[in-house]
């Protein structure tokens, strides 16, 4: 899954694809390089970020989703708002990627159920302005998985088909570096849930220290593929495609 942030302020690529034409060209490039899905977002979730108005979020993403979907690109919409998800689905997106797992907007899970689309339920404890203060755990891997499965249960109760649900530990969302590493060590438990699993480690702070974030991300991508994770969400594509290929080989039966 290639990342396309149509924002002025995202964590690692804010401002680069803020213009519609630049964003569409970059989305096409991600797909051409081997991204199976392009994840379009119009609101930054970097630690400390404030909210964007719904109308502005929709204005940013809809033309980009429309152009990429018209090209045959599989588009997911990265949003916590049902109104934005609805507009993006109408423009051709086929996956809703909600970093709040339906917690930020009560309308989101009913919308997903009605629309019969895939949904990513990511672990989340609160908005970006407060999430760092919420990174307290006695056993992060167990608690994060249990809290995510509670969102899975909420989605099922709202009428979402179990087979439509993808779960994601939300690395960096109300998690410090050590929490991220603990969760990654126990990825098998996520895959063991029976749901497809998505992991977004790309260029996050816990990998960026050496200035070789894409190489570090590739190592994580191999680990994820070797654990049979369904997808990794990354900014860079060619190295990640190769990393996933290697991980998939390592996980193959004899
Ligand atoms: N991370 C970011 C944004 N959206 N979505 C999912 N499903 N999983 C993630 O880990 C995730 C996400 C933040 O990263 P960015 O600002 O570099 O896009």
């Amino acid at each position: 899954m290639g990342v396309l942030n149509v924002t002025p302020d995202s964590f690692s690529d804010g401002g680069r694809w803020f213009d519609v034409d630049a964003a569409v060209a970059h989305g096409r490039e991600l797909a051409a390089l081997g991204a199976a899905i392009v994840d379009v977002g119009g609101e930054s979730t970097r630690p400390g970020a404030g909210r964007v108005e719904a109308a502005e979020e929709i204005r940013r993403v809809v033309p980009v989703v429309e152009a990429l979907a018209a090209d045959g690109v599989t588009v997911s919409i990265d949003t916590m708002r049902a109104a934005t998800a609805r507009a993006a689905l109408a423009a051709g997106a086929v996956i809703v990627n909600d970093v709040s797992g339906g917690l930020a907007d009560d309308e989101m899970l009913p919308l997903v159920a009605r629309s019969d689309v895939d949904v990513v339920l990511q672990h989340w404890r609160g908005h970006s302005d407060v999430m760092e203060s919420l990174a307290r755990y006695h056993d992060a891997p167990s608690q994060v998985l249990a809290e995510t499965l509670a969102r899975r249960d909420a989605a099922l109760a709202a009428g979402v088909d179990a087979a439509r649900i993808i779960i994601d530990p939300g690395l960096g969302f109300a998690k410090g570096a050590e929490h991220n590493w603990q969760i990654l060590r126990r990825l098998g438990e996520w895959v063991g849930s029976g749901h497809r699993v998505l992991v977004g480690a790309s260029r996050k702070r816990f990998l960026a220290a050496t200035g070789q974030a894409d190489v570090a991300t590739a190592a994580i991508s191999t680990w994820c593929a070797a654990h049979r994770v369904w997808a990794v969400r990354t900014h860079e594509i060619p190295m990640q495609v190769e990393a996933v290929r290697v991980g998939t080989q390592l996980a193959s039966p004899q």
Side-chain angles (χ1 to χ4, degrees):
M1 173 185 279
V3 178
L4 183 52
N5 287 320
V6 191
T7 59
D9 60 341
S10 278
F11 195 53
S12 70
D13 58 349
R16 288 190 69 191
W17 326 113
F18 195 41
D19 162 80
V20 172
D21 292 340
V24 171
H26 186 58
R28 288 188 178 124
E29 185 190 13
L30 293 169
L33 289 170
I37 300 162
V38 173
D39 188 42
V40 178
E43 179 177 41
S44 171
T45 49
R46 83 191 140 72
R51 299 296 315 267
V52 170
E53 293 294 320
E56 170 64 11
E57 190 188 11
I58 290 170
R59 189 194 67 74
R60 291 178 185 178
V61 297
V62 162
V64 177
V65 170
E66 214 158 47
L68 293 176
D71 275 2
V73 175
T74 300
V75 176
S76 60
I77 177 68
D78 184 345
T79 185
M80 292 183 262
R81 284 202 181 88
T84 306
R86 189 181 305 113
L89 293 173
V94 294
I95 302 170
V96 174
N97 173 23
D98 181 352
V99 299
S100 82
L103 278 173
D105 186 339
D106 289 343
E107 298 295 314
M108 185 64 100
L109 297 176
L111 169 74
V112 167
R114 278 197 308 280
S115 309
D116 195 26
V117 291
D118 280 356
V119 62
V120 179
L121 301 176
Q122 191 208 261
H123 178 261
W124 186 86
R125 283 184 164 184
H127 286 288
S128 300
D129 55 344
V130 295
M131 69 183 178
E132 291 189 316
S133 68
L134 302 173
R136 300 230 157 80
Y137 302 89
H138 56 82
D139 177 3
S142 305
Q143 288 175 273
V144 170
L145 180 55
E147 289 170 24
T148 307
L149 293 179
R151 300 314 302 157
R152 181 273 313 270
D153 292 342
L156 294 176
V160 177
D161 186 339
R164 289 293 201 182
I165 296 173
I166 298 146
I167 57 173
D168 180 334
L171 300 177
F173 286 79
K175 286 158 209 92
E178 192 49 42
H179 302 132
N180 296 334
W181 289 117
Q182 290 167 355
I183 290 163
L184 286 166
R185 285 181 203 120
R186 286 169 56 183
L187 258 190
E189 295 171 25
W190 288 72
V191 177
S193 72
H195 292 285
R196 287 174 285 168
V197 177
L198 173 68
V199 172
S202 183
R203 297 183 184 170
K204 284 188 179 162
R205 204 151 44 183
F206 77 117
L207 297 181
T210 62
Q212 292 287 342
D214 287 334
V215 177
T217 302
I220 305 276
S221 293
T222 297
W223 177 259
C224 288
H227 281 83
R228 303 178 192 281
V229 159
W230 171 70
V232 288
R233 178 183 179 281
T234 68
H235 301 81
E236 185 275 342
I237 300 298
M239 274 199 294
Q240 310 308 321
V241 167
E242 196 59 12
V244 165
R245 193 183 67 75
V246 170
T248 304
Q249 286 293 346
L250 292 170
S252 299
Q254 288 313 306

